[in-house]
């Protein structure tokens, strides 16, 4: 073993989790098959969480062998890593299944059986991969099965649909679970590039001093999607792009971009700084919001022919504190758009240009930008003006780029759900939102929810309604742009 590998092994041992029984509600659903079961398989065969047993449960009346067959097919179909047959054989033996129709008693018996197979201080992790309307029934079942003690729960979005419903939901959760046991998941924050924002901001003397209103002109958080509803009309029609994406994802990314330096790289300190950002946000102004609906949406099964649900939203958010006063944050997301991207762009203030001749090209391509690409292939780019070789003073836009694939650690990356499950097992709330945070975001959103502007139509494959250009003027949207990411040679 090399010294480098030995250090990594020791690091993994240091953070090795306690033995766990994971209870997966919704174990036969789409999310479980695509992400959760493959993620749990990878974690269980790693040095990070080797002592794991899983109890799957859902409405389907199947047995252990049928569930194992579902899990095997899911892992072979959706895992991004090659599966060793011996690893699978070990993992498969740790899977149990209990139909929810068996009630709390059957669930408690299955968990107890799995606990007996483990040694040491065994903990429980309950993953609620269920629709929001089913969450309360699951919490009641856990309470009746006496599976609350020594346990933590992961809850999927949405966390309410407005301030009143979020407050009621949190109050109902807290009747059974303490807030310290609750992990409200946002898979965006589980991605390696999202976490890299913290390292980039606070570990580099080049950028930390200029991360404020004196040097930054505006920030864009842009998450367009090419995908349509893909059969999710029943969920999407009463929800829309704002509740589905902005409150649960884009606002969380905004907090990472805007937060003050935490007192420590610890979950409590980071959560507090995120909540300070949310407390400092101004209430959304419906006049600075563009809602859109792609043409053809109303023809989808399950969608009202008079639907006012937005499949696109762009808005201006403001943070009224010392660091960010006067700096607009522009957020955009939607379905059936021209490209699928996850881009954060920081536009720096432009210097005076009087010393450069009018035809030099200075300023012709907009301000300098720092760009984070939050796709799985993590990339960062810094654009700037430089002199074009040759006579005279002609300027071109140049860039410095970094990609995760250029390092020898690309294979060490945990996928978003894997990272978040591991953090919940370790009790680390850093990448999860709190009851206070989510309630404040619904409070910020209240003016928009109470008085939404009418939806505007847009073509499939476009960048949204034309009104988005008036929203961001005198600036321009960073997407679409011509950018070539240099590949590793």
């Amino acid at each position: 073993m090399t010294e480098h590998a030995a250090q990594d092994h020791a690091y993994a041992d240091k953070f090795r989790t306690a033995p766990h029984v994971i209870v997966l509600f919704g174990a036969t659903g789409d999310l479980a098959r695509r992400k959760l079961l493959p993620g749990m398989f990878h974690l269980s065969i790693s040095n990070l969480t080797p002592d794991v047993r899983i109890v799957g449960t859902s409405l389907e009346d199947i047995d252990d062998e049928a569930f194992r067959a579902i899990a095997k097919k899911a892992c072979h179909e959706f895992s991004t890593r090659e599966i060793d047959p011996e690893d699978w054989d070990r993992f498969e033996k740790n899977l149990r299944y209990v139909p929810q129709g068996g009630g709390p008693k059957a669930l408690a018996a299955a968990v107890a059986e799995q606990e007996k197979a483990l040694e040491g201080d065994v903990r429980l992790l309950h993953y609620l991969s269920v629709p929001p309307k089913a969450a309360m029934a699951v919490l009641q079942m856990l309470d009746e099965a006496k599976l609350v003690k020594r346990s933590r729960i992961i809850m999927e979005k949405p966390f309410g649909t407005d301030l009143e419903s979020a407050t009621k939901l949190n109050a109902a959760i807290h009747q059974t679970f303490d807030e310290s046991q609750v992990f409200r998941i946002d898979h965006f924050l589980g991605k390696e590039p999202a976490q890299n924002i913290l390292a980039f901001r606070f570990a580099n003397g080049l950028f930390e001093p200029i991360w404020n209103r004196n040097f930054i002109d505006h920030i864009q958080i842009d998450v367009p999607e090419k995908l349509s509803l893909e059969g999710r009309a029943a969920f999407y029609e009463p929800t829309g792009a704002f509740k589905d994406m902005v409150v649960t994802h884009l606002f969380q990314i905004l907090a990472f971009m805007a937060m003050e330096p935490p007192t420590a790289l610890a979950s409590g300190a980071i959560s507090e700084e995120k909540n300070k950002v949310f407390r400092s946000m101004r209430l959304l102004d419906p006049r600075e919001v563009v809602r859109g609906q792609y043409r053809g949406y109303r023809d989808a099964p399950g969608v009202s022919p008079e639907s006012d649900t937005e499949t696109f939203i762009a808005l201006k958010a403001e943070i009224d504190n010392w660091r960010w006063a006067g700096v607009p944050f522009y957020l955009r997301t939607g379905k059936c758009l021209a490209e699928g991207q996850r881009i954060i762009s920081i536009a720096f203030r432009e210097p005076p240009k009087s010393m450069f001749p009018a035809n030099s090209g200075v300023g012709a391509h907009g301000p300098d930008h720092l760009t984070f690409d939050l796709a799985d292939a993590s990339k960062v780019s810094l654009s700037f003006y430089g002199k074009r070789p040759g006579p005279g003073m002609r300027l071109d836009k140049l860039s410095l780029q970094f990609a995760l694939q250029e390092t020898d650690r690309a294979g060490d990356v945990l996928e978003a759900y894997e990272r978040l499950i591991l953090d919940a097992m370790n009790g680390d709330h850093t990448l999860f939102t709190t009851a206070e945070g989510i309630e404040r975001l619904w409070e910020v959103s209240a003016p928009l929810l109470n008085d939404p502007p009418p939806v505007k139509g847009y073509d499939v494959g476009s960048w949204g309604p034309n009104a988005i250009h008036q929203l961001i003027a005198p600036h321009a949207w960073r997407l679409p742009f011509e950018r070539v990411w240099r590949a590793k040679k």
Side-chain angles (χ1 to χ4, degrees):
M1 182 183 295
T2 66
E3 180 181 355
H4 195 66
Q7 290 174 347
D8 285 353
H9 193 80
Y11 185 83
D13 280 342
K14 180 181 178 182
F15 292 98
R16 183 171 170 148
T17 62
H20 268 75
V21 175
I22 300 177
V23 182
L24 176 57
F25 290 87
T28 59
D30 185 65
L31 178 62
R33 291 186 302 105
R34 289 178 176 272
K35 296 293 184 181
L36 304 182
L37 288 169
M40 291 175 186
F41 167 68
H42 178 245
L43 288 174
S44 71
I45 64 171
S46 71
N47 196 46
L48 297 169
T49 60
D51 300 324
V52 171
R53 297 292 178 111
I54 296 170
V55 176
T57 180
S58 70
L59 298 177
E60 280 75 6
D61 189 8
I62 58 176
D63 60 13
D64 290 349
E65 291 307 313
F67 177 55
R68 288 167 182 164
I70 291 172
K72 184 175 184 178
K73 182 181 179 183
C75 289
H76 278 86
E77 185 174 355
F78 297 110
S79 177
T80 58
R81 306 171 180 90
E82 192 170 335
I83 296 177
D84 183 278
E86 292 185 3
D87 287 338
W88 177 257
D89 289 343
R90 287 195 298 272
F91 176 70
E92 186 178 59
K93 295 174 182 176
N94 296 333
L95 298 177
R96 282 289 320 275
Y97 183 85
V98 179
Q100 278 189 245
K105 187 175 181 179
L107 181 63
V111 171
E113 181 182 323
Q114 293 286 57
E115 283 186 284
K116 288 179 183 178
L118 298 171
E119 297 179 355
D121 182 19
V122 181
R123 300 195 64 93
L124 305 179
L125 178 67
H126 310 302
Y127 197 119
L128 275 61
S129 179
V130 298
K133 61 183 179 182
M136 288 300 101
V138 170
L139 294 179
Q140 183 178 352
M141 174 180 273
L142 290 172
D143 191 24
E144 293 176 0
K146 302 188 184 310
L147 296 176
V148 175
K149 188 178 179 182
R150 295 180 292 108
S151 76
R152 301 182 177 106
I153 60 168
I154 296 178
M155 301 193 69
E156 283 283 344
K157 64 165 186 166
F159 314 116
T161 56
D162 54 20
L163 178 58
E164 181 181 4
S165 61
T167 302
K168 288 182 178 179
L169 175 62
N170 285 327
I173 292 170
H174 293 157
Q175 287 180 359
T176 306
F177 287 89
D178 184 78
E179 177 65 15
S180 64
Q181 296 175 275
V182 182
F183 292 77
R184 298 170 186 81
I185 197 167
D186 172 13
H187 70 273
F188 269 48
L189 294 187
K191 294 180 176 294
E192 194 76 22
Q195 299 163 54
N196 196 37
I197 293 171
L198 296 181
F200 198 93
R201 281 194 58 189
F202 299 125
N204 293 292
L206 178 61
F207 293 104
E208 192 280 329
I210 63 172
W211 211 269
N212 57 60
R213 58 186 168 82
N214 295 321
F215 298 93
I216 293 177
D217 184 78
H218 66 279
I219 293 176
Q220 296 180 32
I221 302 175
D222 215 347
V223 187
E225 297 181 281
K226 292 184 71 173
L227 300 175
S228 62
L229 295 183
E230 297 186 312
R232 296 174 67 227
F235 162 78
Y236 205 85
E237 176 66 0
T239 305
F242 180 77
K243 295 176 182 178
D244 183 38
M245 289 291 293
V246 177
V247 176
T248 51
H249 295 319
L250 273 63
F251 279 161
Q252 303 299 323
I253 294 292
L254 181 150
F256 264 37
M257 296 298 297
M259 62 188 280
E260 294 296 318
T263 56
L265 196 62
S267 60
I270 291 176
S271 293
E272 174 57 21
E273 295 305 332
K274 285 176 59 183
N275 286 340
K276 285 181 182 178
V277 172
F278 298 148
R279 291 196 290 266
S280 299
M281 288 178 67
R282 290 187 175 182
L283 302 186
L284 296 181
D285 185 343
R287 295 170 298 180
E288 295 177 328
V289 176
V290 175
R291 296 171 69 238
Q293 186 184 91
Y294 67 80
R295 295 183 175 92
Y297 169 76
R298 296 177 182 178
D299 299 329
V303 174
S304 166
E306 299 178 354
S307 173
D308 188 51
T309 299
E310 80 278 357
T311 62
F312 170 97
I313 192 156
L315 60 88
K316 175 183 176 182
E318 295 181 278
I319 301 172
D320 193 11
N321 63 16
W322 189 259
R323 182 182 291 266
W324 296 112
V327 177
F329 288 72
Y330 297 103
L331 282 55
R332 175 173 63 169
T333 188
K335 300 288 186 182
C336 291
L337 297 177
E339 295 180 26
Q341 296 277 8
R342 293 169 182 170
I343 296 291
I344 302 173
S345 291
I346 297 95
F348 293 100
R349 296 194 182 278
E350 297 187 68
K353 304 179 181 66
S354 56
M355 65 174 282
F356 294 97
N359 62 350
S360 67
V362 65
H365 300 284
D368 299 338
H369 279 88
L370 177 63
T371 304
F372 292 89
D373 188 338
L374 299 188
D376 291 329
S378 174
K379 298 171 183 174
V380 180
S381 174
L382 177 64
S383 70
F384 56 92
Y385 287 96
K387 183 184 179 300
R388 180 188 302 176
M393 180 58 73
R394 291 286 296 167
L395 303 180
D396 284 330
K397 209 61 180 292
L398 309 175
S399 70
L400 297 172
Q401 297 182 7
F402 160 80
L404 181 66
Q405 301 303 321
E406 295 173 1
T407 75
D408 61 357
R409 293 304 187 102
D412 294 344
V413 174
L414 291 177
E415 293 190 355
Y417 282 98
E418 295 172 357
R419 169 62 189 263
L420 293 168
I421 291 170
L422 179 62
D423 283 355
M425 293 170 76
N426 289 326
D428 186 345
H429 280 87
T430 301
L431 302 177
F432 299 85
T433 191
T434 64
E436 176 190 343
I438 200 67
E439 289 177 17
R440 171 56 184 167
L441 289 176
W442 285 121
E443 184 179 3
V444 167
S445 306
L448 173 61
L449 298 178
N450 294 334
D451 186 24
V455 294
K456 300 177 182 295
Y458 65 94
D459 293 330
V460 172
S462 70
W463 286 99
N466 290 332
I468 61 173
H469 303 297
Q470 288 75 45
L471 172 69
I472 202 171
H475 313 299
W477 289 101
R478 188 84 163 114
L479 287 174
F481 55 65
E482 293 183 6
R483 176 198 59 202
V484 177
W485 290 106
R486 292 188 285 274
K488 181 178 180 181
K489 295 182 180 179

